[in-house]
Amino acid sequence: MKVVKLEDIIGSENEVKGENWTSRRLLLAKDGMGYSVHDTIIKAGTETHIWYQNHLEAVYCIEGEGEVETLKDNKIHPIVANSIYALDEHDEHLLRAKTDMRMVCVFNPPITGREVHDENGVYPLVEETKK
């Protein structure tokens, strides 16, 4: 069994910061669960272009307000606390935060923690085996 406390992730190498977000990576590929789990803060007033071509992602908003615009159809999906969205078709999208948003993100396949968004908002597929 694994027990991970957010307080132990904050300030560690598993807390990764981007210009628009901070991702606290709770479970990663090395944990052998088949998915990764992240507690992520999206900064108010930001827009982030994301396109996970190699991963499926489900995102549960636990605080804040924003929207997701799917670029294939330019549909805007309001996101509020206690709602989930699933990028089940590797959807290229824009994530906009009206307020600070706290999200729980689940990735399949799991990320290793070394991935960085490229110029297209894509995480490369990095494989890692369980430790």
Side-chain angles (χ1 to χ4, degrees):
M1 182 169 145
K2 298 176 185 313
V3 175
V4 179
K5 295 180 182 178
L6 181 60
E7 64 193 51
D8 295 334
I9 299 299
I10 294 173
S12 77
E13 66 182 13
N14 285 348
E15 182 180 44
V16 179
K17 297 181 180 188
E19 184 177 334
N20 298 345
W21 49 267
T22 299
S23 176
R24 289 86 64 103
R25 284 124 187 229
L26 301 167
L27 292 174
L28 293 167
K30 67 183 177 185
D31 295 306
M33 297 297 296
Y35 53 86
S36 58
V37 178
H38 315 241
D39 182 306
T40 301
I41 304 297
I42 308 297
K43 296 178 185 174
T46 62
E47 177 180 272
T48 306
H49 174 243
I50 306 170
W51 188 10
Y52 295 125
Q53 296 174 352
N54 302 306
H55 300 84
L56 295 176
E57 183 190 26
V59 180
Y60 180 64
C61 178
I62 56 177
E63 293 176 12
E65 181 181 356
E67 64 186 24
V68 173
E69 180 178 355
T70 48
L71 295 182
K72 72 178 178 183
D73 57 10
N74 296 323
K75 277 189 160 181
I76 294 177
H77 308 271
I79 305 299
V80 295
N82 303 315
S83 61
I84 190 169
Y85 64 92
L87 300 161
D88 59 343
E89 297 180 353
H90 303 281
D91 308 88
E92 182 176 11
H93 61 287
L94 297 172
L95 174 59
R96 298 182 187 107
K98 294 179 182 177
T99 65
D100 280 352
M101 300 173 73
R102 185 169 175 208
M103 321 286 262
V104 175
C105 309
V106 178
F107 285 88
N108 181 14
I111 71 163
T112 66
R114 298 187 312 271
E115 294 83 354
V116 177
H117 291 108
D118 69 13
E119 66 279 357
N120 296 312
V122 176
Y123 275 160
L125 185 58
V126 178
E127 295 191 21
E128 182 168 276
T129 57
K130 183 179 176 180
K131 64 177 182 181

